[in-house]
Every structure is written in structure tokens, then in C-alpha cells.
Amino acid sequence: MPNTTVARRRNVLALHRRFLEGAVAAGLPAKGLDQAFAKKIEISPSMWSQIKSSRPIGDNLARQIERHCDVEIGWLDKEDRPSEVPDAAEERFIAAAREAWRTANAKGKRELSGWLKKHAQDADPAP
């Protein structure tokens, strides 16, 4: 049974992350970006704060968010979408991998790359 509440929260956080990345890349200051996102999707900053933590997103609000974020109708409801929002453990892994890569010499980089490719293949179920 699909859990729409969880899917919508995960997916709206992905849209928020895209918005933040775009704003920062455009040179906007980080301060005030949550309020700017709330304005973009036409809700109050207070409601956005509630949604980020626990408030469920109803059908009408989900469609409103999708329209304002230029994604297809029903985008927020899809559970099978790989999460575009990494969790804390993934962020720590990426940081550690980046540090290992940056401090490795050419041989070390080849070994790291080979190890990851091998483990990715091992984890990939055969079709």
C-alpha cells in the first residue's frame, strides 16, 4: 500500500533542494531562501516549516506545488522515484569518499574507482 504522505514529503524536499541549489548557483545569499521557496509555491513560511517537519501535504496543495515547480501532475505522489534527497549517512559517505579521492595519488584513485565499480556490479541484481 503506497504511503503518499511520506512520498510527498520526500519529493517536496527534493524540489526544495533543487530550488536551493539553483538559488545558490545564481549567487543568491542563503539567508531567506526558505521564505523564497514558500513564496514560490504560494504558502506561508510557517506552513513550509510545518511541511518540512511533519505536516501532511493534501491533494490540492500537492497539485499547487507541482504547478509552481514545473513538474508533472502526480510527481509528488510517486514512491518509486529514487530519493533525490540524500540522508545524513549518505552525505557522510560522500564526504569521506571525496576526501579519500582528493588525497589519493593516481594509483589510489584507480583502486578506489575499481573497488566502487566492482561493488556496484556485485550489488546490481542480474536482469
Side-chain angles (χ1 to χ4, degrees), residues 53-94:
S53 64
S54 64
R55 183 181 179 131
I57 300 171
D59 292 340
N60 290 339
L61 181 55
R63 304 301 78 91
Q64 176 179 322
I65 292 169
E66 290 162 347
R67 277 193 314 277
H68 290 300
C69 292
D70 298 318
V71 295
E72 72 269 9
I73 298 302
W75 190 92
L76 285 178
D77 299 342
K78 294 181 182 172
E79 277 192 274
D80 59 344
R81 176 186 327 287
S83 176
E84 296 177 30
V85 180
D87 61 16
E90 182 180 349
E91 290 291 349
R92 286 191 302 273
F93 173 81
I94 296 298

Side-chain angles (χ1 to χ4, degrees), residues 14-44:
L15 291 173
H16 180 248
R17 183 179 177 115
R18 269 191 219 167
F19 175 83
L20 294 177
E21 289 171 352
V24 170
L28 297 175
K31 187 174 182 176
L33 290 181
D34 271 358
Q35 292 85 353
F37 184 73
K39 183 177 181 179
K40 173 184 172 120
I41 61 175
E42 293 188 348
I43 62 172
S44 70

Side-chain angles (χ1 to χ4, degrees), residues 3 11 22 35 50 52 60 63 66 94 97 101 103 112 123:
N3 188 337
N11 292 333
Q35 292 85 353
Q50 293 170 30
K52 286 194 309 182
N60 290 339
R63 304 301 78 91
E66 290 162 347
I94 296 298
W101 180 265
T103 59
L112 283 168

